[in-house]
Amino acid sequence: MSELFEPLLRPYDEKRRAELVAAYMAVEHAAGPVPEVRFPALREPALRRTVARMLELSGRTLIRTSPAHWISGYDDAVREALAGDPACVLPIADRAVLVLVLIHSVAIPRAEGLLTDDSWLSPYPAPLEELRRRSQLTISELEAALRRLRAAGLVGQVKAGADEASGGYVPGPQFHRLTEAARRRLQEELILAAGPDSPLAAAIRARRRGARKERV
Amino acid sequence: MTQVDPQVLARARARITGPVAFPAAEPVPAGLTRVAAGERVWALPAWPDGATPAVLEEYQTLPMPLDRPGQARRVLAAALRCCWTRLDDAPWPGRAAALTDVLELYATTTRGDAELMRRWAVGDLRRLADTGWLLLDEEAGTVRPGPRTALWAEESLAPLRALLRRMPPPPGGSDE
């Protein structure tokens, strides 16, 4: 029995307790958002608050991805703190490859109006050839980076279809786990990278300067 | 910026870094499970009420996808067959087995080009080592059970023991 969760779980009877544990394990380990219809502890607001408090113990938070689906992700303050820790960030080559995947599978289709909502998941794969041409990495470095990104659930591989649909890489299941603030931040970073001189980029920089001043 | 509780941050950090060994003298962050062997210690997640991610199956919920999961399982089984030779004991800490023995055993239990099978198996051993299921020392050419095997509940070991008993014995090692 884990002492960590005991104070939160103690008030509940056996059945409720099992439901809370199942919901906690599901949102932490599932490949994608889990439907609340399958988990009573996600369906009932009071129990859901307890699941959220269990997650908070490890710096996690409950994220609603659609009206009846839930998953967990890092809390915004925790994410910010961990991003400053070199042991917690990806190697630079992996980040470069991930950005290329995001540009080709999300940013470009979104600019073309093919993707409309603010999700970071996409059915449009970034072709391996494109990654090879743009990444300035050797093939073995690129493949090693893709292997690590795949293992981390940050990219997914799409096999080329028989109907000549091209294969490649799309954002992986971890992109379900972004909070609204993290999604916005990613969007802004991509604008700053792709169009640093654009009016939109200037507005983002101005707002961030403002936010920093407020903190001080 | 909101200050984050250092213990909360330590647990969040452990989730990101995965099972990384540190010197046994260092304390493990509160709320994590301490697994030690000799000079080294690992901090592993502590799940409520002994639950494991296997609970997802009961709720028809898919876990995080894994590349070639069947092959990874068979490679893990081959490694355990070589490292966990006293099957009546717990798998952890087990003993070090020669990497070549593990690869040979794996090749004999699978169909296909043996050389290709070995190459793939090395990739799987590395991934299993990254995630704490095995300890791999490529320089020394050895494999050992990983710290995660220390968390296997006693009642879950029976089917695993039965499976390993059905496998061929380790090629070079002494099967006890």
Side-chain angles (χ1 to χ4, degrees):
Chain A
M1 195 181 294
S2 167
E3 293 158 30
L4 182 63
F5 301 96
E6 199 47 37
L8 291 174
L9 292 175
R10 198 177 299 132
Y12 295 96
D13 64 31
E14 209 171 307
K15 179 168 169 281
R16 288 282 185 240
R17 193 174 166 123
E19 287 169 355
L20 286 163
V21 170
Y24 172 84
M25 294 304 281
V27 294
E28 279 285 75
H29 298 279
V34 297
E36 62 179 35
V37 63
R38 224 173 275 166
F39 295 91
L42 292 176
R43 213 162 47 228
E44 291 173 30
L47 294 176
R48 196 164 63 223
R49 273 194 294 278
T50 302
V51 174
R53 289 177 66 200
M54 291 167 74
L55 291 166
E56 275 168 27
L57 292 171
S58 303
R60 310 278 292 170
T61 185
L62 204 51
I63 297 165
R64 175 180 255 163
T65 57
S66 68
H69 285 77
W70 300 87
I71 198 159
S72 62
Y74 285 102
D75 168 82
D76 291 321
V78 171
R79 167 175 53 82
E80 236 177 277
L82 292 174
D85 182 340
C88 293
V89 294
L90 295 173
I92 192 157
D94 296 17
R95 275 183 277 163
V97 173
L98 183 57
V99 168
L100 277 177
V101 171
L102 293 178
I103 287 175
H104 285 280
S105 67
V106 181
I108 294 176
R110 194 180 285 164
E112 289 171 343
L114 296 170
L115 284 177
T116 46
D117 58 4
D118 84 327
S119 160
W120 281 90
L121 291 148
S122 160
Y124 306 103
L128 182 61
E129 189 45 44
E130 195 66 27
L131 301 178
R132 220 173 256 166
R133 232 167 346 131
R134 309 273 180 189
S135 70
Q136 301 178 18
L137 297 171
T138 66
I139 290 179
S140 65
E141 282 172 335
L142 174 63
E143 284 179 347
L146 284 168
R147 202 166 43 236
R148 286 190 296 266
L149 291 170
R150 247 190 1 247
L154 287 166
V155 303
Q157 195 171 11
V158 179
K159 296 258 158 59
D163 53 345
E164 288 183 32
S166 57
Y169 291 88
V170 291
Q174 295 289 3
F175 282 84
H176 287 295
R177 297 180 178 271
L178 298 175
T179 61
E180 200 189 327
R183 286 202 301 277
R184 195 171 54 236
R185 166 113 195 167
L186 197 52
Q187 170 87 1
E188 290 179 357
E189 289 299 315
L190 215 53
I191 291 168
L192 291 173
D197 302 322
S198 64
L200 213 48
I204 291 167
R205 279 193 295 268
R207 205 185 49 239
R208 287 195 183 170
R209 269 197 303 274
R212 267 200 299 276
K213 268 186 205 143
E214 256 171 52
R215 273 186 216 158
V216 177
Chain B
M1 191 164 76
T2 0
Q3 270 304 317
V4 182
D5 177 340
Q7 292 202 340
V8 167
L9 200 58
R11 287 189 286 268
R13 191 178 185 277
R15 181 179 167 111
I16 294 190
T17 60
V20 182
F22 47 91
E26 273 183 45
V28 162
L32 294 175
T33 309
R34 182 180 194 276
V35 175
E39 310 275 280
R40 291 186 293 177
V41 62
W42 290 263
L44 296 176
W47 291 313
D49 292 358
T52 71
V55 76
L56 267 66
E57 240 172 90
E58 290 167 36
Y59 289 83
Q60 293 102 48
T61 299
L62 290 175
M64 288 291 283
L66 194 67
D67 280 354
R68 299 190 297 273
Q71 184 183 309
R73 274 189 208 118
R74 285 191 295 274
V75 171
L76 179 61
L80 288 175
R81 183 72 184 90
C82 297
C83 309
W84 181 16
T85 45
R86 290 163 176 267
L87 279 173
D88 292 332
D89 294 351
W92 175 261
R95 65 177 187 98
L99 181 55
T100 49
D101 285 353
V102 175
L103 295 177
E104 196 181 324
L105 179 63
Y106 175 69
T108 60
T109 56
T110 45
R111 282 186 293 274
D113 178 351
E115 198 37 53
L116 187 65
M117 287 300 133
R118 279 200 188 90
R119 266 218 311 277
W120 280 4
V122 170
D124 281 306
L125 286 172
R126 285 183 192 143
R127 282 194 296 146
L128 288 163
D130 285 345
T131 44
W133 296 104
L134 294 173
L135 292 173
L136 175 66
D137 186 339
E138 287 193 63
E139 255 173 56
T142 57
V143 183
R144 282 186 45 194
R148 274 190 204 276
T149 62
L151 302 189
W152 284 342
E154 182 55 41
E155 61 269 21
S156 72
L157 294 180
L160 195 53
R161 287 188 174 113
L163 173 93
L164 294 180
R165 284 202 176 97
R166 283 202 304 276
M167 289 178 70
S174 53
D175 199 9
E176 289 162 63

